[in-house]
Amino acid sequence: MGSLPHITAPALTVRTPDGTIHRFSRSFHIGRDRQCELSVEDVHVSRRHAVVLMAEGRWSLRDLQSANGIFVDGRQLEIVPIEGDLMVSLGHDGPRLAFTLEQSAARATTQPSSADSGEPVDEAMQIDDYADRYFGGDTGEIEVGGRTMMIRRAFNRVQQKQKRRYRWMVAGMACVALAAGGYAFYSYRQLSKQQAIAEQIFYTMKSIDVNIADVERRVATTGAGQDQVRRYLDERRKLEANYDQFVTGLSSRNMSEQDRLILRVTRALGECDLAAPSEYIREVHTYIRKWQTSGRFVRAAKLAQDTGYTRVIVEELLKQSLAPQFFYLAMQESDFEPFRSGPPTKWGIAKGMWQFIPETGARYGLKIGPLAGAAVPDKADERLHWDKATVAAARYIKDIYTTDAQASGLLVMASYNWGERRVIDLLRTMPADPRERNFWKLLERHRQRMPLQTYDYVFYIVSAAVIGENPRLFGFPIDNPLAAFEKS
């Protein structure tokens, strides 16, 4: 190949903040990247911050769209000609570099290229130089000839053809994206409709649960209404089968097994699993971690198993058509210790496995002993007879279940701890629609009125019930205490 015009330029020296002087005779990059010819380690410096170009015998500094820019005398500039001594800051408050041109005049001569002369060639820099000159370099600082202008015009014509082709490609991609977006929106609408139908089925089942509880209470009193209970149960089973189909179709979303257990227990306790807020799931995990920090769960579960409490408690709950997970209410109340006494309160001292206060215990047929005012065991007090107290507790829970709590297990728990009258009074300030009367809505409207003790109480029971579904999944060395009793 023929020789190219080769224009020599004075060498350029750069002094970095540490006092080191670097000398360059060809284009180079400045940045934090180790691959840059001038590497500057500083938080203000981008990986490839700027480039110093040598073209037509002249040096210039260009910002490479860095995060903090380049500054000369406090002004941010994109391009800076280097014509003598120059002080540049990388970023307004960044490191300062001192540029100095060596005192030798630039001379244009016709020489063999460095590739022909055997000198080492930095191909990337050489390509950058030619790209700047022929394909969009600095149009104001560098004078170009007719040949260069012809090359530029030819390049611009090629660019115009490519732009037209790219416009068609972009238009095609936009159509594809629009179609995909339309399908996604349609899928979302369908999913929303299915979820709305599933929720309607769920709350219809809840209404039937309340009706069943009302009729069962009438059956217990008068003996009439058993056929109606059976009809309600048949209708509920059909609805539950439909609901299961919807839930199966909607549960394809990514979810951990622990989250699935939380929703399963939430549904068993009478709340719509599809409507469970994400913050509720996170809070249940918080209380699961609290159980994991103590040995209380395992000790209590083993005590109930070894003494036969588990079987009797679950059987009494099922007799009242209650979820067996209410078993964990007694765990939270007393750790299944039948002789436990609570602290003195204005309602008296709560006693026994189910921690009945005297008034509630007597209302459900338990004889209150002469030592009711002392936090000591009393054989004459039937609250401490765990079997009789369990029958009374199952009846009490069922009665709360049929009130304005509307078959919500979480509201039942809150009522058991705080008093059903207080919870019902708050619920009656809310819409009668079961969708608007659940534990989450109660918190949303009346969180400041609910005692922290009651809030903790509900979440400790729910989290214990979740752990109980698969204790080993949560790191507990026992099996599900209710495995033999839960419905399939």
Side-chain angles (χ1 to χ4, degrees), residues 29-30 46 48-51 62-67 70 78:
H29 288 91
I30 302 172
S46 299
R48 291 173 71 86
H49 198 105
V51 62
R62 298 187 181 195
D63 183 29
L64 293 177
Q65 296 184 338
S66 61
I70 58 176
E78 296 292 327

Side-chain angles (χ1 to χ4, degrees), residues 237-311:
R237 276 191 286 270
K238 292 175 184 176
L239 288 171
E240 190 164 11
N242 289 332
Y243 183 74
D244 286 338
Q245 283 186 326
F246 275 102
V247 170
T248 301
L250 293 168
S251 62
S252 58
R253 53 184 171 174
N254 292 329
M255 185 180 294
S256 69
E257 181 59 27
Q258 293 185 356
D259 286 352
R260 292 182 190 279
L261 287 181
I262 291 174
L263 294 182
R264 186 189 306 168
V265 168
T266 299
R267 176 182 170 188
L269 290 170
E271 292 291 4
C272 184
D273 44 339
L274 292 177
S278 57
E279 57 268 25
Y280 162 77
I281 296 175
R282 288 195 297 270
E283 193 73 331
V284 174
H285 277 294
T286 297
Y287 281 79
I288 288 172
R289 288 191 290 272
K290 292 183 179 183
W291 283 107
Q292 289 170 329
T293 59
S294 75
R296 183 180 160 213
F297 183 94
V298 174
R299 285 195 304 269
K302 285 186 175 180
L303 172 63
Q305 190 68 34
D306 294 344
T307 54
Y309 297 158
T310 304
R311 179 182 58 79

Side-chain angles (χ1 to χ4, degrees), residues 394-454:
R395 288 176 50 217
Y396 180 39
I397 292 170
K398 182 59 174 286
D399 285 347
I400 300 173
Y401 196 80
T402 60
T403 65
D404 293 65
Q406 295 190 341
S408 164
L410 276 65
L411 289 178
V412 169
M413 296 171 195
S415 300
Y416 194 101
N417 177 261
W418 192 22
E420 68 270 23
R421 197 71 256 160
R422 295 183 185 84
V423 175
I424 288 171
D425 287 345
L426 292 181
L427 289 175
R428 286 178 177 172
T429 68
M430 300 163 63
D433 185 348
R435 296 169 186 268
E436 299 299 323
R437 282 196 181 182
N438 55 44
F439 184 70
W440 310 314
K441 294 294 184 181
L442 181 67
L443 288 180
E444 184 180 305
R445 290 171 176 258
H446 300 294
R447 176 67 184 90
Q448 72 281 0
R449 298 182 62 179
M450 180 183 290
L452 177 60
Q453 176 190 351
T454 301

Side-chain angles (χ1 to χ4, degrees), residues 65-351:
Q65 296 184 338
S66 61
N68 295 310
I70 58 176
F71 289 79
V72 177
D73 295 331
R75 293 191 306 126
Q76 185 173 1
L77 301 171
E78 296 292 327
I79 302 171
V80 183
I82 303 174
E83 298 173 340
D85 294 339
L86 179 68
M87 185 66 71
V88 176
S89 296
L90 303 180
H92 189 272
D93 300 315
R96 291 164 62 84
L97 305 180
F99 293 82
T100 303
L101 283 176
E102 291 187 353
Q103 297 301 315
S104 60
R107 293 175 293 119
T109 60
T110 301
Q111 298 178 354
S113 69
S114 57
D116 293 335
S117 63
E119 295 179 5
V121 177
D122 186 333
E123 292 184 3
M125 289 300 174
Q126 195 175 63
I127 291 171
D128 285 343
D129 292 344
Y130 285 128
D132 286 329
R133 176 173 176 79
Y134 291 111
F135 306 117
D138 187 305
T139 58
E141 296 291 337
I142 302 174
E143 295 182 2
V144 296
R147 181 172 179 272
T148 299
M149 289 303 297
M150 186 177 295
I151 293 173
R152 285 189 179 181
R153 283 194 293 270
F155 178 68
N156 287 336
R157 183 174 298 176
V158 172
Q159 277 192 316
Q160 292 301 319
K161 290 182 179 179
Q162 288 178 333
K163 286 179 180 178
R164 285 194 293 271
R165 185 180 299 117
Y166 291 151
R167 278 196 290 269
W168 281 108
M169 291 175 61
V170 170
M173 292 173 65
C175 290
V176 172
L178 185 62
Y183 178 75
F185 179 71
Y186 171 78
S187 299
Y188 171 78
R189 288 289 301 275
Q190 292 298 107
L191 189 67
S192 298
K193 287 180 181 178
Q194 289 183 2
Q195 180 157 339
I197 294 171
E199 288 185 25
Q200 184 60 48
I201 293 172
F202 179 87
Y203 288 109
T204 302
M205 288 194 297
K206 283 195 69 170
S207 297
I208 292 175
D209 286 340
V210 174
N211 292 337
I212 290 172
D214 286 339
V215 176
E216 284 179 338
R217 187 164 50 184
R218 190 165 66 247
V219 169
T221 305
T222 66
Q226 292 181 348
D227 289 342
Q228 191 174 5
V229 170
R230 281 193 289 271
R231 286 196 297 272
Y232 276 138
L233 288 173
D234 287 343
E235 185 179 353
R236 194 192 189 288
R237 276 191 286 270
K238 292 175 184 176
L239 288 171
E240 190 164 11
N242 289 332
Y243 183 74
D244 286 338
Q245 283 186 326
F246 275 102
V247 170
T248 301
L250 293 168
S251 62
S252 58
R253 53 184 171 174
N254 292 329
M255 185 180 294
S256 69
E257 181 59 27
Q258 293 185 356
D259 286 352
R260 292 182 190 279
L261 287 181
I262 291 174
L263 294 182
R264 186 189 306 168
V265 168
T266 299
R267 176 182 170 188
L269 290 170
E271 292 291 4
C272 184
D273 44 339
L274 292 177
S278 57
E279 57 268 25
Y280 162 77
I281 296 175
R282 288 195 297 270
E283 193 73 331
V284 174
H285 277 294
T286 297
Y287 281 79
I288 288 172
R289 288 191 290 272
K290 292 183 179 183
W291 283 107
Q292 289 170 329
T293 59
S294 75
R296 183 180 160 213
F297 183 94
V298 174
R299 285 195 304 269
K302 285 186 175 180
L303 172 63
Q305 190 68 34
D306 294 344
T307 54
Y309 297 158
T310 304
R311 179 182 58 79
V312 174
I313 291 171
V314 173
E315 285 178 353
E316 287 301 324
L317 292 171
L318 293 177
K319 281 181 185 178
Q320 298 294 336
S321 302
L322 294 169
Q325 284 84 3
F326 281 109
F327 167 84
Y328 295 99
L329 188 149
M331 177 183 282
Q332 178 61 19
E333 286 285 357
S334 66
D335 295 330
F336 301 111
E337 294 180 9
F339 300 107
R340 177 170 292 186
S341 295
T345 71
K346 65 180 181 180
W347 301 283
I349 295 175
K351 289 190 176 184

